[in-house]
């Protein structure tokens, strides 16, 4: 089953939980434990609105069979993060996730370091977006929050942009207060431009309990995707509690906005 989320109010802020790093721990020893599908069920019980998984080219965490099992068994929408390659498009067309988020991928990076260069990748991306959309998959582009990226994303037919919150989170880690304000302003402007262009706005990367509220306060943002921090926190207090606490902070921020 693959639940639908589009009927929710646009004002609701959804939480997508990325379970990649459950697979990272499993893969450190091989075998089947801990199982990302079990983590996905627990995240949903804790209040996740959807599950995100990134099938990387080098399969360093999530595997092809994880995607098949997630798609077959999840009771909430699956958001498949992937590079815009022929291999990944054919996997997406086979499994038909609720949404695909196209991300840049470099083999040597630890995580997705920057957003897509949509202007440079225009023609390839346009083709990938249209193949996925023709199959009924909602398509998101993971981008830095600048106007040119948003304009091209709209022009090539993306349903959604996911704004990269990595720089904002890094400034927060460095205790760079003016950098935090500057990055939040950039995210805020980008959200407004995207919404005005008729694109749904998501955000994510690097978010923690300390940084989530700044992004959750932006009224145009209707989904946050959070992974590494939640899986890390779950070591100390369990995944249910981590997801519940993240949701509570998001809702608090929304009420305060
Ligand atoms: N959104 C996108 C597009 C990502 O690539 C990632 C990382 O896989 C995330 C959100 C989640 O980032 P993090 O694991 O740092 O919370």
């Amino acid at each position: 089953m693959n639940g639908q989320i589009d009927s929710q109010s646009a004002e609701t802020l959804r939480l997508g939980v990325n379970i990649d790093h459950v697979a990272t721990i499993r893969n450190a020893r091989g075998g089947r434990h801990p199982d990302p599908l079990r983590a996905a069920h627990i995240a949903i019980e804790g209040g996740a609105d959807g599950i995100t998984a990134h099938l990387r080219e080098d399969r360093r965490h999530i595997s092809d069979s994880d995607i098949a099992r997630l798609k077959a068994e999840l009771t909430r929408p699956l958001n498949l993060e992937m590079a815009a390659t022929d291999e990944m498009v054919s996997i997406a067309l086979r499994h038909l996730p609720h949404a695909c988020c196209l991300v840049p991928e470099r083999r040597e990076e630890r995580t997705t370091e920057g957003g897509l260069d949509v202007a440079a990748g225009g023609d390839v991306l346009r083709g990938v977006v249209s193949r996925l959309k023709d199959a009924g998959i909602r398509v998101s582009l993971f981008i830095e929050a600048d106007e040119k990226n948003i304009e091209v994303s709209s022009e090539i037919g993306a349903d959604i942009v996911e704004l990269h919150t990595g720089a904002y989170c890094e400034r927060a880690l460095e205790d760079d207060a003016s950098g935090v304000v500057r990055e939040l302003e950039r995210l805020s402007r980008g959200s407004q431009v995207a919404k005005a262009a008729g694109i749904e706005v998501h955000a994510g990367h690097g978010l923690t309990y300390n940084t989530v509220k700044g992004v959750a306060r932006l009224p145009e943002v209707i989904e946050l995707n959070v992974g590494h921090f939640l899986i890390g926190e779950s070591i100390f207090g369990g995944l249910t509690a981590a997801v519940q606490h993240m949701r509570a902070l998001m809702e608090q921020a929304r009420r305060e906005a």
Side-chain angles (χ1 to χ4, degrees):
M1 186 177 156
N2 202 17
Q4 293 298 306
I5 47 178
D6 300 324
S7 57
Q8 288 194 359
S9 141
E11 272 63 49
T12 307
L13 180 59
R14 302 190 298 251
L15 173 61
V17 173
N18 180 317
I19 42 83
D20 290 350
H21 296 299
V22 178
T24 304
I25 298 171
R26 174 196 63 194
N27 297 355
R29 282 286 173 96
R32 297 194 198 156
H33 183 79
D35 181 5
L37 177 61
R38 182 174 166 205
H41 286 313
I42 292 170
I44 289 167
E45 279 163 29
D49 298 290
I51 297 298
T52 294
H54 184 174
L55 185 65
R56 291 189 75 105
E57 247 192 325
D58 62 8
R59 308 302 198 267
R60 70 177 69 160
H61 37 56
I62 291 294
S63 67
D64 297 66
S65 71
D66 290 330
I67 296 296
R69 290 165 64 235
L70 287 164
K71 173 61 189 121
E73 296 188 37
L74 279 186
T75 54
R76 290 275 170 165
L78 173 64
N79 174 31
L80 173 62
E81 283 179 12
M82 58 183 229
T85 61
D86 282 342
E87 184 203 10
M88 289 299 154
V89 171
S90 57
I91 290 170
L93 295 180
R94 188 155 69 246
H95 295 297
L96 299 177
H98 175 75
C100 282
C101 180
L102 302 179
V103 301
E105 221 177 90
R106 283 196 303 276
R107 223 166 248 266
E108 66 278 10
E109 69 190 356
R110 279 209 201 141
T111 180
T112 317
E113 277 166 8
L116 281 169
D117 185 349
V118 281
D123 283 342
V124 173
L125 284 175
R126 189 190 308 273
V128 170
V129 170
S130 95
R131 287 170 72 195
L132 296 171
K133 283 179 70 171
D134 286 350
I137 299 170
R138 304 194 76 225
V139 182
S140 170
L141 302 182
F142 187 47
I143 59 169
E144 293 294 334
D146 64 63
E147 265 187 56
K148 183 67 187 166
N149 277 327
I150 294 162
E151 192 188 300
V152 181
S153 300
S154 164
E155 202 256 311
I156 64 180
D159 301 294
I160 304 161
V161 287
E162 180 163 332
L163 302 182
H164 200 312
T165 54
Y168 155 64
C169 293
E170 276 164 31
R171 298 297 84 74
L173 275 176
E174 294 158 0
D175 288 326
D176 173 358
S178 60
V180 163
V181 170
R182 194 175 57 245
E183 289 300 333
L184 272 180
E185 277 169 2
R186 191 162 73 94
L187 289 164
S188 173
R189 269 196 311 279
S191 310
Q192 290 168 28
V193 172
K195 186 168 182 188
I199 309 180
E200 187 170 307
V201 187
H202 299 179
H205 207 282
L207 292 170
T208 65
Y209 295 153
N210 288 334
T211 49
V212 73
K213 287 175 99 179
V215 183
R217 281 193 197 102
L218 305 177
E220 297 82 11
V221 174
I222 66 162
E223 182 172 313
L224 298 181
N225 279 300
V226 188
H228 184 268
F229 177 82
L230 283 175
I231 303 306
E233 270 302 290
S234 72
I235 293 168
F236 306 111
L239 185 55
T240 310
V243 172
Q244 284 172 343
H245 189 55
M246 188 61 83
R247 272 219 75 98
L249 292 170
M250 288 163 55
E251 281 158 21
Q252 208 181 338
R254 219 51 165 190
R255 281 195 304 273
E256 290 163 1

